[in-house]
Amino acid sequence: MNTFHFAAIMIIAMCIGLIYLVDKKKKNRLELGMQRAAGIIAVVMLLTVNLPVLAGLYDEIVMSDDENNVAYYYDEEENEEETYIYEEEIHLDEYEEYSYKEELEELGYEEIETMGGYIPIMPLLSTIDFPTGGIIVATGDTVEIVAGGVITGNITVQAGGTLYIEEGAIVNGSIGVVGTLTMNGGEVGGVNVQSHWDTGASGTFIMNGGEINWGVAVVGHANSATSVIFIMNEGKINAGVEVRTMGIFTMNGGEISGNNRQYGGGVHVVASNVPGRSGGRFTMNGGEISGNTASNGGGVFVDGSSGGSSLLSGEFIMNGGKISGNTADYHGGGVYMRYGARFIMNEGKIVGNTSDYCGGGVYGVVAKMTMYGGEISGNITNSSGAGGVHIRGTDFNDQAEFIMIDGKISGNTGNGVYVYLNAQFRIYGGEISENTVTGVYVAMDGRFDMHGGAINRNFDGGVSTGSQGFVMTGGEIRGNTTNWSGAGVRSGGPFIMNGGKISENISNGNGGGIQLSGWAMFIMNGGEISGNISNGNGGGIFTLDRNIMIYEGTIKNNIANNGGGIFRTHNNANISGLSIAQDVILTGNVARHGLFIDDAVAALNPQVAPGIVSIPNTHAFTNYDINVQQLSGNQMFNVSFAVRNAERRRNNRRNYCRRKQHCKWSNNRTSSKGCW
C-alpha cells in the first residue's frame, strides 16, 4: 500500500466522522452525542498515526503499536526501517506551524528506539542505517548515545558535528572524528581522530571515562595546519595510542594497558613525514601506562625524523603519571627514543619495566633527553646495559644527549646510566643511587660531565669512564662499593676534578676513591677526596704508572693497606709522574701496613720527613699519605719533590694565557681552553 492509497482511506474515514458530526435530525440526543465522540476520536487517531505520512516523511506505516505510542515506518527511497515515537497531543495545526525538527524539539520527541536502547538525537538530522547501526553525525548535529544503546558499525563525526557517548552505551565499530567526540563512559571499538584532507578541519576527542578496545589513532592530514587533539582524563584503553603528524595527545588520567605491538606498546609517537608539519606530541600529566609489550619501547616509543629536524621529530613531555610493568623484547622497557626524538621528564615515575637488552627504564639512540625531576627506579635489563637510562650515539658521529637537572635514578637492575659511543651525559642535580651495577658507566667515546648531584650507594662503583675521561666540577660520589678496584671512580681517560667530593666509597680491590688505568691521568684543581677505604692499596687514589697532578684540594681520612691517601708505582727513582702543590692538604690518612721508607730514595730527596701521622701542608710522603712504590716491590717516599717545579709550570701557564689572551685565568681552572 503506497502513500496515495493510505491517504484516500484516511479521507474517507474523515468524511464518515464528519457525517456523524452534522447529522442531527436522525438521532436522539444521547445517540448523537456518542456518535460525535466516536467521530472526534477517529479523526484525532488518524491524524496522529498518519501525521508523518501526511508530512511526506515516510512512505508507509509498517506496524503501529498504539499502546506504547510507537509506529514503525518504511522509507522506500532509503530502503530503511525507522521508528517514530509519537503522542496523542500532536495536532495538524501544530505540525504546520513547525518544521520536522522544530516539531520534535517542541513536543519533546528526542528519541529513536533501536537495538534495545535509545539514541537521543537533537537536532534529529543524522542518518541511522539499519541493520548495521552506523551513524553519520553531520555538521551542526549533536548525537548522544546513552545507556542501553548499541551501535553495530562505524560512526563518522563530520566537521562541526558533536557525538556524546554515555555510560552503558556500546559501539561495536570504529569512530572517525573530524568534529568533536566526548566519551563519558560506555564501550567503543576504536577511535580515529583526524583532519579533513580537503577543508583542513581537525577533530577533537575528549575521553572522560569508558573503555576502548582497539586503540586510538591521532593523525592530521598534510593539507591541514591545525592540530588534531586527543585529551584523556579518565577511562581505559586496552590497546595502544598512535600519535602522528600534527597530532597532540594529552593524558591527564586513566589507563593504557594490555597492548602488544612492534613499536610503543602503550603509546607510539611518530615523526612527521610532511615538511612544515610537526611530528606527534605526547604530554603525560597523570594516569598510568602499564602491562604493555613491544619489540622496542614497551611503554612509549618516540620517533624522530631521519634528518634530525626538531620540528618533524616526535616529542614526549612527562609531567606526572606512571609508566610501569611494560616489557621490551629488545630496548626501552619503559620509553624508547630514536633519531632526533625528544623526551622531557619533569615529574612522574618510570618504574618496574623490563628490557631483554638495553634500557630497562629508558633507551635513546641519537636522541635528546632532559630530566628535571621524577623517578626512574626498579627497572630491569637482562644485558650489560643500563637498568635506568641507556643513551647512545652511532659510529657515524651521530650524537645523543642526556641532561639531568634533578630527579632520581635508583634501584635499577643493571647500570644506573649507560653512556655509549658519541653520547654525552651531563648531571647538574638529582641522585643516581642503589643500582646493582655502576651508577654511571661510560664507554666507547662517550662523555660525562658532573656539575652537581649525587652518585651514591651503587653496588659496582659510582663512575666508570672510557678513553674520553670525566670532568667533575661539583656534586658528590659517595658510599659506593665494588668487589674490584675504583669504588668511587674508575677512569680509563683524563679525569679532571675541579670541585665536588668523592667520599666513603669502599673497594675490595685497589683505589677506594679513584682508580686510574689505560690512558688515564688525574688533575685535581679543587674538591675533596675523603673517608674512602680500600682493602688493597690506595685509599684515596690508586694508579700503576699514570700521571697525577694535584694543584688544590684536600685528601684526608682515607684508609688502605699501603698509601692511605695516594698509591702510585713507578719505574725510576725520579718518580716524574707525581706533582703536588704546596697548598694541597693531606691529613688523617691511614696505611694498615704502617710506615715505610727507602734510604736510597731519601738520599735522592733530602726533604724526606716521614712521620707517624699526616702533617698538613708539609706533604709527608709516608705510607700514610703517599706511597710511591717501585715496580720491583720496594717502597720509596718523597716529600714535596715536585712542588717547586709545579709552581713554576703553573706560573708559566698563567703568563702564557695572559700574553695570548686565550682565556681568563681563574683559581678553579675550569676554562674550556685548558689553561690549567
Side-chain angles (χ1 to χ4, degrees):
M1 184 184 297
N2 58 28
T3 304
F4 176 79
H5 294 151
F6 208 97
I9 294 173
M10 185 195 69
I11 293 171
I12 293 171
M14 290 174 61
C15 292
I16 294 172
L18 291 172
I19 290 173
Y20 279 108
L21 290 174
V22 300
D23 189 6
K24 300 179 181 179
K25 295 180 180 180
K26 297 182 180 180
K27 307 293 179 182
N28 58 37
R29 188 179 297 273
L30 178 60
E31 187 178 1
L32 180 62
M34 292 176 65
Q35 289 177 347
R36 287 179 175 178
I40 291 170
I41 292 172
V43 170
V44 170
M45 291 300 295
L46 287 170
L47 285 174
T48 303
V49 173
N50 293 286
L51 176 60
V53 177
L54 285 175
L57 299 177
Y58 297 95
D59 293 320
E60 183 176 358
I61 295 180
V62 177
M63 183 180 68
S64 176
D65 182 354
D66 294 340
E67 182 177 353
N68 295 315
N69 292 333
V70 176
Y72 299 85
Y73 298 93
Y74 182 79
D75 189 327
E76 288 182 343
E77 279 189 22
E78 299 296 333
N79 194 28
E80 296 171 350
E81 181 180 328
E82 298 197 12
T83 303
Y84 176 71
I85 298 179
Y86 64 91
E87 291 183 1
E88 296 182 4
E89 289 79 11
I90 299 179
H91 298 291
L92 184 60
D93 56 349
E94 292 175 341
Y95 191 84
E96 291 172 345
E97 186 177 348
Y98 301 98
S99 69
Y100 174 49
K101 167 185 166 183
E102 292 170 338
E103 180 73 0
L104 292 176
E105 289 178 346
E106 178 71 17
L107 299 177
Y109 300 118
E110 299 174 1
E111 296 181 336
I112 290 184
E113 185 180 59
T114 178
M115 313 292 267
Y118 292 92
I119 306 175
I121 300 177
M122 185 175 62
L124 190 56
L125 291 178
S126 297
T127 301
I128 304 174
D129 300 320
F130 291 87
T132 62
I135 296 178
I136 298 175
V137 184
T139 302
D141 291 1
T142 300
V143 175
E144 184 179 12
I145 307 175
V146 298
V150 179
I151 302 296
T152 301
N154 299 326
I155 299 176
T156 299
V157 185
Q158 296 179 345
T162 302
L163 173 63
Y164 292 94
I165 300 175
E166 305 296 344
E167 188 67 39
I170 299 176
V171 178
N172 292 320
S174 293
I175 303 175
V177 183
V178 181
T180 301
L181 166 63
T182 301
M183 185 175 177
N184 297 316
E187 186 174 340
V188 172
V191 178
N192 298 300
V193 194
Q194 54 201 326
S195 56
H196 195 273
W197 65 272
D198 187 19
T199 64
S202 296
T204 299
F205 173 28
I206 301 173
M207 186 176 183
N208 298 318
E211 195 166 338
I212 298 175
N213 296 318
W214 304 343
V216 178
V218 186
V219 54
H221 194 274
N223 292 343
S224 176
T226 307
S227 296
V228 180
I229 296 173
F230 171 32
I231 300 173
M232 183 178 184
N233 296 316
E234 287 295 339
K236 184 178 181 182
I237 299 176
N238 296 319
V241 176
E242 189 163 288
V243 191
R244 289 186 171 268
T245 304
M246 298 299 292
I248 297 177
F249 172 31
T250 302
M251 185 177 184
N252 299 317
E255 178 183 346
I256 301 173
S257 63
N259 191 39
N260 188 341
R261 60 193 303 177
Q262 184 176 6
Y263 299 118
V267 178
H268 185 189
V269 184
V270 185
S272 172
N273 58 0
V274 182
R277 300 286 185 258
S278 63
R281 301 287 183 269
F282 173 35
T283 300
M284 186 176 186
N285 299 317
E288 185 168 356
I289 300 172
S290 63
N292 302 283
T293 302
S295 296
N296 291 294
V300 177
F301 187 106
V302 189
D303 214 344
S305 66
S306 57
S309 168
S310 60
L311 172 66
L312 301 179
S313 297
E315 182 177 74
F316 175 28
I317 300 174
M318 188 174 186
N319 299 318
K322 189 176 182 181
I323 300 174
S324 65
N326 303 284
T327 301
D329 296 333
Y330 294 98
H331 306 303
V335 178
Y336 184 111
M337 311 168 288
R338 72 173 180 183
Y339 302 121
R342 299 182 306 281
F343 175 29
I344 299 172
M345 185 175 184
N346 296 311
E347 287 295 339
K349 294 183 177 182
I350 301 174
V351 297
N353 303 281
T354 302
S355 69
D356 280 348
Y357 288 89
C358 302
V362 179
Y363 179 89
V365 54
V366 194
K368 182 175 181 178
M369 176 181 176
T370 305
M371 185 176 183
Y372 293 98
E375 179 181 338
I376 301 173
S377 64
N379 302 284
I380 300 170
T381 180
N382 293 323
S383 75
S384 59
V389 177
H390 189 117
I391 187 162
R392 59 163 292 173
T394 70
D395 293 323
F396 306 103
N397 293 321
D398 296 318
Q399 296 183 349
E401 183 180 64
F402 175 30
I403 299 174
M404 185 175 182
I405 309 296
D406 204 348
K408 188 175 182 181
I409 301 174
S410 68
N412 300 285
T413 300
N415 298 287
V417 177
Y418 194 102
V419 188
Y420 187 64
L421 283 176
N422 290 295
Q424 181 169 4
F425 174 39
R426 298 197 299 272
I427 180 173
Y428 295 89
E431 180 180 341
I432 301 172
S433 62
E434 298 178 357
N435 301 284
T436 63
V437 192
T438 307
V440 177
Y441 191 94
V442 187
M444 290 289 293
D445 295 329
R447 296 178 301 280
F448 174 40
D449 295 337
M450 186 172 185
H451 303 273
I455 302 174
N456 296 341
R457 302 182 307 282
N458 298 282
F459 297 106
D460 189 18
V463 176
S464 178
T465 71
S467 60
Q468 294 297 314
F470 168 34
V471 178
M472 181 178 183
T473 59
E476 68 172 14
I477 300 172
R478 179 174 59 84
N480 302 282
T481 59
T482 183
N483 287 325
W484 311 101
S485 297
V489 176
R490 291 189 296 266
S491 183
F495 175 20
I496 302 169
M497 184 175 182
N498 297 315
K501 189 174 182 180
I502 300 173
S503 65
E504 301 174 23
N505 302 284
I506 301 174
S507 168
N508 279 334
N510 298 311
I514 300 170
Q515 182 216 16
L516 306 174
S517 61
W519 299 99
M521 63 181 298
F522 178 53
I523 300 174
M524 185 175 183
N525 297 311
E528 180 177 308
I529 301 171
S530 63
N532 302 284
I533 299 173
S534 169
N535 288 330
N537 297 321
I541 303 170
F542 173 89
T543 182
L544 293 177
D545 55 1
R546 301 297 92 191
N547 292 338
I548 298 175
M549 290 162 280
I550 303 176
Y551 299 109
E552 293 181 11
T554 299
I555 301 174
K556 67 177 183 179
N557 301 334
N558 302 284
I559 302 173
N561 290 338
N562 295 295
I566 301 171
F567 183 98
R568 182 186 183 278
T569 60
H570 73 99
N571 284 310
N572 57 74
N574 292 324
I575 320 172
S576 59
L578 180 62
S579 300
I580 301 177
Q582 182 66 39
D583 295 335
V584 175
I585 298 175
L586 288 101
T587 183
N589 301 292
V590 174
R592 299 185 187 94
H593 290 177
L595 178 65
F596 300 109
I597 189 166
D598 187 290
D599 294 336
V601 175
L604 293 173
N605 301 278
Q607 293 179 327
V608 168
I612 302 300
V613 296
S614 299
I615 303 172
N617 300 323
T618 61
H619 305 302
F621 278 46
T622 71
N623 197 25
Y624 298 105
D625 280 338
I626 302 172
N627 183 317
V628 184
Q629 185 181 82
Q630 193 172 24
L631 289 179
S632 62
N634 296 321
Q635 287 79 22
M636 295 178 291
F637 304 93
N638 191 1
V639 177
S640 302
F641 66 88
V643 169
R644 189 170 300 169
N645 291 333
E647 287 298 320
R648 185 181 301 114
R649 288 194 296 271
R650 189 170 170 185
N651 291 330
N652 289 340
R653 280 193 298 273
R654 282 197 184 106
N655 295 332
Y656 178 81
C657 286
R658 289 167 181 161
R659 288 197 309 271
K660 299 298 184 180
Q661 296 182 346
H662 280 189
C663 63
K664 181 179 179 181
W665 179 264
S666 62
N667 288 332
N668 60 16
R669 301 168 190 80
T670 59
S671 168
S672 61
K673 297 291 184 181
C675 292
W676 32 262

